[in-house]
Amino acid sequence: MTTSSIPAPTSNFLRTIIDNDLAQGRYQDKRWAGKPGPAAVHEQAPLDTARIRTRFPPEPNGYLHIGHAKSICLNFGLATDYQGACHLRFDDTNPEKEEDEYVKAIIEMVEWLGFDWKFRDEDNCYFASDYFQYMFTFAQALVQAGYAYVDEQSADEIRANRGTLTQKGSNSPWRDRPAQESLRLLSEMRDGKHPDGSMCLRARIDMGSPNMNMRDPVMYRIRHVPHHRTGDAWCIYPMYSWAHPVEDALERITHSICTLEFEDQRPFYDWILDRLVELGQLAEPLPRQYEFARLHLSYVVTSKRKLLQLVREGHVQGWDDPRMPTLAGLRRRGYTPASIRLFCERLGVSKADSRIDYSILEQALRDDLDPIALRSVAVLDPLKLIITNYPEGQTELCNAPRNPHDPAAGRREFPLSRELWIEREDFQEEPPKKYFRLFPGNMVRLKYGYIVRCTGCVKNENGEITEVHAEYLPDTKSGTPGSDSVKVKGNITWVSAAHAVQAEIRLYDRLFSEPHPDTGDKDFLLALNPDSCQVIQAWIEPGTSTTDEMPLQFERLGYFVADRNDSTAQKPVLNRAVTLKDSWAQKK
């Protein structure tokens, strides 16, 4: 695996495959009954009007993360581009970890990214659990034909007899049991007559196969666990490697696009489908599986187990914590659907694993927001500036573009008064060389306002600077004929102390301080960044939206968004989505 700070342009090899399939008419005779089903359901149906069918098949055992976004954009995007349909299918075959909460969260995030599963009059949202009876019927047919058997070995025995990469496996003592006996036991398994782990259904393929996945893989296991949709109706559940091809075929998927870890499973995928066609359970043309490299992002963990650990142990404040790589967390942080789609588009699609630097994701957000985000001003580390020659009680309006890239957005107005808040870093009593902001005797422009000359500062008994004093040059206001009469090198932002709105600002940064926090045997928790969230009280320009979900740019500081959970007009809370520049590049 290589590390890439700027991903090299990559072609989408899947488009070449689809182009060739369409040119050869591979799926031109495919029939679709308007709903999933076996051969008997589709054989008299009309020809499918969808040129291709893809699917996004999440397991509802957690929240979607940035890695899922790549698959979502790929599958839904290909379907749209080729006038096809993309199904949203919940692979809910593991009842111990799945919940309705996750189903709802997944639906919300796919829609938020800008995709839906409708094709003409079809609503293609499906659940693997809807196919449990089909799968059981298919399993019976395989047993009857001698392609599967019930095994009474324990899980440890099956594992021990499976062999190694260099040693063939050993046949189960139950491998040659009569089909009728396996059928009876399978029905008893289905009816709950046997305890967990006492037996399972295995495919009869080849215990000497060089592909470990073809050494009589397990198809069904017993689990006396209620399912979030089917309740106690079932106590045997299909393994993913068995359910996956069946689900695709029932839904008449043409291109089953998976990540690379499923490449070794493809022979079993094809074996299952070929046997079920042979037995008359499924109709051709069959789906085909293709693999692409999954997203590996630096400074991030995407293991659902580890993400759940972060939540349950309180290292973050829930699945939508803005530091989390979940789509819910990214949305709350200030990422837009367009920025995530742009990020995925820039990655391209390939079969070569690489680790993408987190800065690529951040730059996609900057590139999306810069042309559209409204501007405002905030002072995060406030220091009082008093313009000593400005009349007390006087206020005047200054104005600035809402967005310098979009004249149609208009201009905003904000007050200037005698006392202002400025950033503490914009004043130094003894400045270093090439420091062009405020220091005694120096002149700077108050951005969109007047030029001021610093006359000194006030300190408390601890020697800390509490006020900066300056005098303004009356004829130098921005936008007036005299604005260019005096040339200065410094330009600082400010807000009127009498009019500024106090806000809580959450300065979010990367959750981990190491680029690869969970590689090898490392404890990923040891790489948590202690400075990943800093909460400060700041002053923001009056009129700044503190309830809108669209991020804005605080000039000089970065892009911020009102926190969707906590911010109100009375008590604004804003999250920093991303800085204006890559601050981490400076730390390296």
Side-chain angles (χ1 to χ4, degrees):
M1 184 179 295
T2 59
T3 299
S4 174
S5 58
I6 302 178
T10 54
S11 61
N12 187 337
F13 70 95
L14 294 169
R15 291 185 180 274
T16 302
I17 292 171
I18 295 172
D19 288 339
N20 290 338
D21 286 344
L22 294 177
Q24 296 170 13
R26 185 182 302 279
Y27 298 104
Q28 64 183 11
D29 297 326
K30 178 169 59 70
R31 297 183 180 275
W32 170 248
K35 62 180 181 179
V41 170
H42 296 295
E43 59 186 0
Q44 300 300 322
L47 293 176
D48 193 354
T49 57
R51 298 181 73 206
I52 67 170
R53 286 186 184 267
T54 61
R55 83 289 176 271
F56 173 61
E59 182 181 358
N61 63 349
Y63 281 60
L64 297 181
H65 54 66
I66 186 63
H68 292 113
K70 182 177 179 180
S71 181
I72 293 170
C73 292
L74 177 60
N75 281 285
F76 282 94
L78 287 172
T80 298
D81 291 347
Y82 285 95
Q83 298 82 55
C86 182
H87 299 184
L88 174 63
R89 180 206 305 146
F90 290 95
D91 185 53
D92 55 345
T93 58
N94 188 4
E96 293 153 306
K97 298 181 179 180
E98 297 160 358
E99 300 177 17
D100 285 334
E101 173 194 352
Y102 299 136
V103 171
K104 295 174 183 177
I106 288 169
I107 288 175
E108 183 180 3
M109 285 299 97
V110 174
E111 290 180 328
W112 175 73
L113 274 179
F115 301 104
D116 68 60
W117 39 92
K118 296 175 177 60
F119 177 73
R120 300 184 178 176
D121 59 347
E122 303 171 11
D123 187 350
N124 293 304
C125 180
Y126 304 113
F127 290 82
S129 53
D130 291 337
Y131 311 144
F132 282 172
Q133 185 58 54
Y134 287 135
M135 293 179 193
F136 187 75
T137 300
F138 293 169
Q140 289 177 311
L142 290 168
V143 171
Q144 184 68 52
Y147 291 129
Y149 62 96
V150 172
D151 191 353
E152 295 184 53
Q153 293 182 103
S154 68
D156 288 339
E157 289 172 328
I158 291 175
R159 191 178 302 110
N161 292 332
R162 194 177 179 215
T164 66
L165 292 174
T166 57
Q167 182 180 11
K168 294 181 179 181
S170 303
N171 286 347
S172 164
W174 313 105
R175 194 174 195 267
D176 295 322
R177 74 190 324 160
Q180 292 304 312
E181 184 179 340
S182 280
L183 281 173
R184 175 180 60 80
L185 290 172
L186 179 60
S187 294
E188 290 179 1
M189 290 167 58
R190 162 71 175 81
D191 295 337
K193 295 182 179 180
H194 299 281
D196 291 2
S198 61
M199 55 185 65
C200 63
L201 183 70
R202 297 178 71 180
R204 182 186 281 109
I205 307 178
D206 181 6
M207 290 302 293
S209 172
N211 184 337
M212 300 280 285
N213 297 293
M214 297 296 281
R215 296 181 185 178
D216 292 10
V218 175
M219 298 168 61
Y220 272 110
R221 77 281 200 203
I222 302 173
R223 289 288 185 273
H224 289 272
V225 177
H227 188 278
H228 72 106
R229 295 186 75 245
T230 62
D232 295 320
W234 293 86
C235 60
I236 59 170
Y237 294 97
M239 303 297 288
Y240 182 79
S241 58
W242 150 242
H244 174 209
V246 171
E247 294 160 12
D248 284 347
L250 291 172
E251 295 179 21
R252 306 297 275 161
I253 299 303
T254 59
H255 300 82
S256 179
I257 302 170
C258 307
T259 46
L260 280 177
E261 63 263 35
F262 294 102
E263 187 171 27
D264 290 342
Q265 294 282 359
R266 193 188 334 138
F268 183 53
Y269 181 101
D270 294 337
W271 186 91
I272 284 291
L273 296 184
D274 289 341
R275 299 292 79 74
L276 291 175
V277 167
E278 174 187 320
L279 297 173
Q281 301 295 328
L282 296 176
E284 295 183 303
L286 294 171
R288 294 193 176 188
Q289 177 179 305
Y290 303 95
E291 303 85 22
F292 70 100
R294 69 186 302 173
L295 172 61
H296 298 279
L297 193 63
S298 66
Y299 297 98
V300 160
V301 299
T302 53
S303 160
K304 286 184 180 178
R305 177 182 61 82
K306 293 176 180 177
L307 294 178
L308 182 60
Q309 183 179 351
L310 288 171
V311 173
R312 287 183 171 173
E313 294 182 0
H315 301 289
V316 294
Q317 303 300 313
W319 286 98
D320 68 343
D321 187 299
R323 295 166 293 179
M324 288 279 274
T326 58
L327 296 182
L330 290 168
R331 176 176 64 168
R332 188 175 170 193
R333 173 84 168 253
Y335 278 82
T336 61
S339 68
I340 294 176
R341 295 195 301 267
L342 176 62
F343 170 66
C344 294
E345 178 184 342
R346 288 176 172 175
L347 296 183
V349 181
S350 75
K351 293 181 75 76
D353 266 332
S354 63
R355 190 174 289 272
I356 305 301
D357 195 85
Y358 194 87
S359 61
I360 305 300
L361 174 61
E362 293 178 321
Q363 191 57 46
L365 180 60
R366 295 186 189 101
D367 291 344
D368 175 51
L369 290 180
D370 184 51
I372 60 174
L374 299 183
R375 271 46 171 182
S376 187
V377 169
V379 176
L380 305 187
D381 187 12
L383 175 63
K384 181 70 67 70
L385 170 65
I386 299 178
I387 307 175
T388 55
N389 64 335
Y390 195 87
E392 292 191 35
Q394 179 173 307
T395 299
E396 61 183 289
L397 293 177
C398 298
N399 68 85
R402 294 185 184 276
N403 184 308
H405 304 298
D406 182 14
R411 301 183 70 82
R412 68 187 200 270
E413 291 186 331
F414 43 89
L416 179 143
S417 60
R418 176 184 172 90
E419 296 189 2
L420 311 175
W421 293 115
I422 63 171
E423 291 288 353
R424 187 169 296 274
E425 67 176 19
D426 286 342
F427 172 79
Q428 289 201 26
E429 190 175 14
E430 297 180 2
K433 291 182 178 180
K434 296 185 178 180
Y435 182 83
F436 300 121
R437 283 168 274 177
L438 282 172
F439 57 87
N442 194 44
M443 292 191 297
V444 301
R445 177 174 293 281
L446 300 175
K447 196 170 185 181
Y448 310 120
Y450 293 98
I451 290 175
V452 296
R453 178 187 292 108
C454 181
T455 57
C457 63
V458 175
K459 301 179 182 179
N460 61 18
E461 65 260 9
N462 297 321
E464 301 166 332
I465 298 170
T466 57
E467 292 179 2
V468 175
H469 290 182
E471 295 178 346
Y472 83 111
L473 282 59
D475 296 327
T476 60
K477 188 177 181 182
S478 295
T480 67
S483 61
D484 295 330
S485 60
V486 179
K487 302 296 183 182
V488 294
K489 294 183 177 180
N491 197 324
I492 66 172
T493 50
W494 53 275
V495 290
S496 168
H499 305 87
V501 176
Q502 192 167 29
E504 179 179 302
I505 303 289
R506 298 170 181 173
L507 300 175
Y508 288 109
D509 210 328
R510 301 180 190 189
L511 184 57
F512 295 96
S513 56
E514 295 183 15
H516 314 309
D518 60 346
T519 54
D521 297 326
K522 292 189 297 187
D523 180 355
F524 74 108
L525 295 178
L526 297 178
L528 284 168
N529 177 11
D531 299 321
S532 61
C533 179
Q534 299 180 51
V535 180
I536 62 173
Q537 296 299 315
W539 295 99
I540 63 176
E541 182 181 308
T544 301
S545 175
T546 55
T547 55
D548 191 349
E549 197 170 329
M550 181 62 192
L552 56 87
Q553 184 194 111
F554 282 140
E555 299 187 26
R556 292 177 56 195
L557 300 177
Y559 295 94
F560 293 72
V561 69
D563 186 272
R564 58 183 290 105
N565 293 354
D566 301 331
S567 187
T568 66
Q570 294 73 33
K571 294 184 177 180
V573 178
L574 294 106
N575 301 329
R576 182 174 66 188
V578 68
T579 56
L580 289 180
K581 296 181 180 179
D582 182 6
S583 58
W584 277 74
Q586 301 169 8
K587 300 177 184 179
K588 296 177 182 178

